[in-house]
Structures are given as structure tokens and as C-alpha cells.
Amino acid sequence: MIGLLLILLFPQPGISQSFAQEKLEWSRLPDLPPAPGQTRQPGLAGAFSGVHQNALIVAGGANFPDAPPWEGGTKHWWDDIYVLEKTVEGEYCWHTDPTFKLPMPLAYGVSVATSEGVLCIGGNNENLVSDQVFLLQWNPDTRQITIEKKPPMPFSLAMMAGAKVNQTVFIAGGQQTNAQPKATQAFLSLDLHDLTWKELPSWPGPPRIVPVAASQSDGATDCFYLFGGRNTAAGRETEILTDAYRYDPVAKQWKPLAPIRMQNDSALSVMAGTAVESGANHILVFGGDDGRLFLSLEKLDRQIAQTQDSLVAAGLQQQKLDMLRRHPGFGKQVLAYHTVTNTWNTIGQLPQGSQVTTNAVRWGADIIIPSGEISPGIRTPQVWKADVIISSAFGWLNYSVLGIYLTLLVGIGIYFSKREGNTEDYFKASGRIPWWAAGLSIFGTQLSALTFMAIPAKSYATDWSYFMLNMTIIMVAPLIVYGFLPFYRRLRITTAYEYLEKRFNLSIRLAGSLMFMIFQFGRIGIVLFLPSLALSLVTGIAVSTCILLMGGLSIFYTVLGGIEAVIWTDVVQVVVLLGGALLSLMLLTINAGGVDAMVDIATNQQKFHILDFSMDFTRPTFWVVVFGGLGANMISYGSDQTVVQRYLTTRDEKSAAQSIWTSACLTLPATLLFFGIGTALYVFYQLHPDLMNAIALENTDAIFPYYIVTQLPVGVAGLLIAGIFAAAMSSLDSSMNSMATVVTHDVFRRFKPQTSDRTALRVAQWTTALVGIAGTAFALLMTGWDIKSLWDQFNTFIGLFAGGLGGLFLLGMFTRKANAQGAMIGLVASGLVQYMVKEYTQIYLLLYTLSGIVSCVTIGYLASLFFNQNLQKTEGLTIYTLYTNRKKKVRRSQKVEEKTSDF
């Protein structure tokens, strides 16, 4: 009944009034000019091409300059180089020169654009198949081409395909001779660091020439993709290939993929076509030869060769000439392959006939297709440019919901501003917060917009390997309740770093405070910028506008309302986000055919994979996730002021403990919910590939907001997007308020203890505003950065900067002999260890935090043994004396009560 009601109430996929559609808009650049000394340019097939120093380089190639081959034309190979520059005024201008020459005439090799220049690999001419490799470089100042010779391939190849994956070039397929063309299974790699070639295991399919290749992320790793081509050998019929494969350079494994196909059509060949990566997970494949006329022409050639009747042979020859003259050209379709869902979708057509045996190259955000072959023996000098046009319409109702929601948050800040009479109110809410609200606030602070988008994105793109990461929160909770919390409550401190001074000294306190502030400043930038990036992609609101909107509103209500406003806005956003997430999962499940169908598809694709007990610390295995999660969450819940401050807003220690358990207990259902959404998104878009038109979606983490905007009903979409805004703001306001607390108590009041509370409150409010403004400015600065994964970036940041800080607290609370000198040595050494781990090991990023903690505790403890152990009193400051002191106080209290009763 519930499912039927949802279907009746809410639109089905694709008919939401909110949308974010993308399409290719084509325009024509100046035609390829004639070669020096020539009067016309018929176009080139198999030319090398790429972009260097903001200029398009086209080199070599082959054509029939005098007449088509069926009219007796002779094929000619060229060595000329052409350079297309874009002027300051936006005009395009070709540069040619008689000195712009390749070392030899060549065509049908592989060209790859690198930061150093355009790498030209192999190819052939009328005399040979080449193994040579050249680097073409353009100097925009002198407008000259330079050519550097690079190490040759292990053997000669032409008619192959290639692509660059990170700093490695991969070459697949091709033929080794002109005399007897035969497809190979050659698979080579060139490391651009040391320029060494390697022969690698081939794909599990037939040999091929003129395949299509590209590089793209599969959601977890940047991979090499190989599509189609044809398998040819002397004396046998050519096999037109429609298969596809992926090579993972990390796992060093090939995997067969879904056959190439147009939407709702049979398998399709794209041999001699061209491809380019697009967005976070798409590969665009332009045109190509479907092979049908190729096979017909090949069949006629065999019949002509086999017949002994001259009249029959003449008739067959005429039939072949007619087919060539009337050749309709190659396929015009533009296909989009999605690397995560392993699906194909038709997204448009080329503006004219397909240009094969050329390259689609990236020139900034544009896609350029220069020259190429448009039918057998016929080339074109045309150069086409494609722009990805994004048309977003969030809708007035969604904007209204967003505006109302954000206004509500500001109203909460204004309401609670009336209670902020002193710093005790501003930083601790004077203990007025109920345990359940504090618990929801802790949960909301840790949830954030990053989690709301990043967890579904991770399970959508990969599997449930990270599931145990959140489960470690439950594992850590007892340690926080019984190990950390009592120190903060019984010592009556305002910041966690006050404990460090009591246990060690002022220098350690200030070092801890400084590390926290640096971490939080970076965190503010990340939690503002990354959600803004994703939200901008799907709503059309500019990234800078999103940042300024969230930053400005957060500053306003946090300055006014203090920690009380922060906590109650957290409560609102948790309810909205969890409710919206639950609704999204229900709708996704319905549109995926129900729970059973969704589970079956996900199970078959191994999307529920959780436990990998291999002892490999370079991947997110079970041990990496659990140990990394324990470290990260111990720091977040035990030493992060943004969370610790919540413990101090409740009435007593028992209430604070209840808030921790509340947050921990919400973790399991919320984790199931968000991982389930990611898996449901995968199934949904696999079943509806035509709805995945986000070819410019540069960040996989935007997939859930993309679904919200494109598929959920108007109004509901606005509320959820508003919730994401609020989730980002809840992390921002927590960081601002906690940083203001640290600055006011650990710095200002520590060195000016006689300052009045009213002055301290003003300092806190001004600090909150300044921190917010600086963090917002930092987020605006980050808009020029290239960040593909919110989850990975955030966990890397936590690991590198928070590990040593967490180690200080463990060192102080759980060891008797640690002292200030040893702790400082441990902290500094931890930073050095973290640098070494990141730069010189392959350890997975989740373990950065743990390595920081372990190195700080181990080195700090050992260093402490070399210093005087009697200088520091630790009574009541370690776990060994905390409860002893508690018992003494209870006994003293009982004795006082007994004496009182005697009277």
C-alpha cells in the first residue's frame, strides 16, 4: 500500500520539473590549411594530434591528394606539422612553416597529450611500420615546433589505440607489418617518469586493429578502456568487434565490459572511431565504422579474386565502385559509456559525417575533432569543436523551499541570541541542552553534507567496503564514555586543550589548540567548497554563490546564537536529512523494481561486498577500514573540540554520556540508509541509463544531489537540497563556534585572566565572525582546485593533521610516565612520520590517522623516559587516578554526612 501510494503521489523517473540536462553544442573552427607548397588541403587520416601550450598540434597523416583510390588515386603519407592557436580576441589562427616537419612521413599511430608536449607513438608509411616515439612541443613565444626523440617501442606498431592513465601511457592492438596486415594482441605501457616500456598481459579477447581507447575512473581507480576494432588476418574474413574491456593498473587485471551498443539496439562496432573522457565517469565515443559496408566490400574483393570470368569480375568491380561512390559515411552517433554502471547511452549526433582515424582531444573544457576520414578514401579538412552545455532549472518552488528553510535557520539564531548573556551561555549553553538534542547535534556534526553525499557516492561507485568505518563509532563509544568524558566533565574545563595544560604544560596546550585551529580552518574550506561544487553542478547556482550563501548565513546565526543556535539547527537538519534520505531510498527502490529486484541486481554485481580480510594495507580492506576508523573516530569523539563542546552543554556527566550513546546508536541505521541509497542509485541508473546524462558531472560525489534534482518531485527536491546546504552549514557553524571557544579560552583568557566576561563574549563573537569570513574566503580560493572525491580528500585531511593531536590525549590519559618534553617530541615526530608515510609508502589514506596516533604515543612515551618523572603531578589526570580520586571524594563526602548526622 505504501509503495502504491508513493507511485500515485510522486512522479516516475525523468518527469520531475527540476532538471539538469547536458548536451553537446558543435561549432566549426578554421579548416586545416594546405601543407606548405600545396594549394589545397583534402584532409588527413591517421594524423597525430594533441594540445600543448594552449595550441592544437596536428602532424603527419595520409590522404589521396589527386583522386579517390577507385579512380586511380595514389595514397600519400605526410610529415607536415600544423599548429592552431587561439588569439586574445578569441579568434583562431593556423601556423604552418616548411620547417615544421616530423622525422619521417607517418600516420595511423597513437598521439597522447602530456604536460611536456604531444607524444607521437609508432604509425606507418608506404615503406614501413614504425617503432619510433617523438615528443612535439610548441613554443608560444617563438612560435616554433621542437621535436624530442624518446625511447622506441619494443617493436613496431600501427593502427593501434592508446591513452594516458595518470603518468603511464598504454598502447593496445595494432599491426606490425604493412606486407601482411595482421591484428595483434600487443599491450604495452610507457612510464612517463622513467620512460621505460613494458609488455603487459593482453585483454581476454581477440586481436584487433583500429580499436578505440580512453582513460577514465571506474569510481575507485583511473583505468584504461578498450573498445571494439576489427580482427583481421590474411586469408580469413575480417571479424568486426563490438566487445569492450577495462584494465585496472593498480590491480593489474582486465575485466570484460558490456558490449558497445546504441540505446535499445543490438551490439555496435565503433572501429576507427575516437573517444575522450568526460566528467567523473563518462567516456564519449564519437562515430566509428559499424563494419557492415566494410564486410560487403571485403566480400566483393574475395569474389573478384576468386572468379575466372572477366565479365563477372567486371560486374563485381562496378558494383564495388558504385558502393564506394554512394558510401553514406560512417556512423554519426555520439555514445556515452558510464564506467560505474557499465552502461551505454546515445546522447546525440555529430554535426556532419563521422570523422574516423582521427583523435578527439581536450582543449581546456572543449572537445576538438580535427580532420579525419569521412568515407573510404575521402578525407575532410574540417575541424569541429564541441562545448558541453549544461541547462539547469531548479524551479521557483524549489528556490522558495530553499529560501524558507534557510530563513528558518537564521530565525533560530535570532531566537537564541536573547539567551547569550555571557560566555557560559555562548560556549556551553549553561548546561540547558537536553541529552537527546546534544546527541543529535553530535551526530549531525559528524554527518555533515560530506557524509550525506560522499557515503552514497562511495557505495554507488564501488561497494560496501567502507561500511565498517562507521561501525567503529559504536566500538569507540565505550572508550569515549568511560575514558575521555570523565576528564572533561570532572575537570570543569571549557576546551579539550585545557586538559593538555593540566596534564603537561602550557606549551602543549597551545600546540594542541593551534593544531586544532589549523585543522578546523582547512575543514571549513572543505565543507564549504566541496558541497558547493556538487550543488552547483545540479542546481545551476554558481559555486561562489553557494559558498557565500552558506558562509554568510552561518556567520550570522552563529555569531548571534552561539552554541545553542548551533545545536538546535543541527537537530533540524538531522531530521530533514534522514527523513529525505529515507524517502529517496523508498522511491529509488520502487523505481528499481522493488526490494527483491534491486537486491538481486546489486548482489550479482557484488555491490554488497563488505569483508575483505586480505592483509593488504594499500586498499580499503577490512583491517584498513576498521583500524583507520577506530583512529579517526577516537580523534573525532575524543579530542575534537567541535564534539567535546557538546558534552559540556548538558546538565551532567550522565546526560553527556547519553548524548554520546544517542549519536552512536543512530550510526547503524543511518549507515545502512546511506549505503543503501548508494547501491539503489547504482541499480536505478543501470536500469535507466538514458537518465544518466551528466556527462559534465566532474565529481562523483554529486550523484545523489543529481538524482534529487532530476528525479524527485518539485518541492521535495528543494527541501533536500536545502538540507544539504544546512548540513554543510552545521559543520561550518560548529567549526566557527569551537574555534572561537579555543581562541577565547586557550589564548585570550589564558593570558588575560582578569578580563571581564562581557569583554570575553565580544571577543568570542568577533572571533566567530572573523573565522567564518576567513574560512569562506579560503573556500572561494579552493574553487580553482581539482578535487574528485569528497570522501578521500576529507579523510586524507583528517589523517594528516589530526593523528598527532589525538595521540597527545592518549599519551596523557592512559600513561603515567609521559611528560611534557616527551609529549612535544612525540607530536613533532608524528608530523614527520606522517609526511614520510604519505610521500614514501602506498599505505591507504584511512591509516594516516592511526599512524599519527601510534607514532605520537610510542615516540612520546619513549622520549619521556629520558626526562625527570617527578616534575609533573598526574593525580586525577590519568585513567589510573581518575576513578581513585572519584572514590576518595565519595568517601570524604560520606564521612562528612556521617559527622553531620552525629549532630
Side-chain angles (χ1 to χ4, degrees), residues 423-435 437-439 441-442 480 484-499 502 509 563-564 567 637-660 737-738 741-742 745-746 809 813:
T423 54
E424 184 73 12
D425 288 327
Y426 199 77
F427 294 130
K428 295 184 180 181
S430 295
R432 292 189 294 265
I433 304 298
W435 60 266
S441 180
I442 293 170
I480 303 301
F484 284 77
L485 178 62
F487 289 101
Y488 301 136
R489 294 293 310 202
R490 297 174 194 179
L491 293 175
R492 298 182 180 279
I493 59 180
T494 300
T495 75
Y497 314 107
E498 288 181 62
Y499 166 79
K502 293 178 184 293
R509 175 182 180 176
I563 189 65
E564 205 161 4
I567 287 176
Y637 283 80
S639 62
D640 188 335
Q641 177 65 21
T642 59
V643 176
V644 170
Q645 199 161 339
R646 267 72 172 169
Y647 307 158
L648 309 177
T649 61
T650 56
R651 184 177 65 254
D652 50 33
E653 186 177 324
K654 180 181 178 182
S655 298
Q658 288 175 315
S659 70
I660 296 172
N737 186 267
S738 60
T741 306
V742 169
H745 280 271
D746 290 345
F809 284 87
M813 294 177 179

Side-chain angles (χ1 to χ4, degrees), residues 616-619 837-845 848:
D616 182 356
F617 296 107
T618 64
R619 298 184 296 108
V837 166
K838 184 177 186 298
E839 292 297 320
Y840 300 107
T841 74
Q842 299 296 318
I843 288 178
Y844 197 69
L845 59 92
Y848 291 167

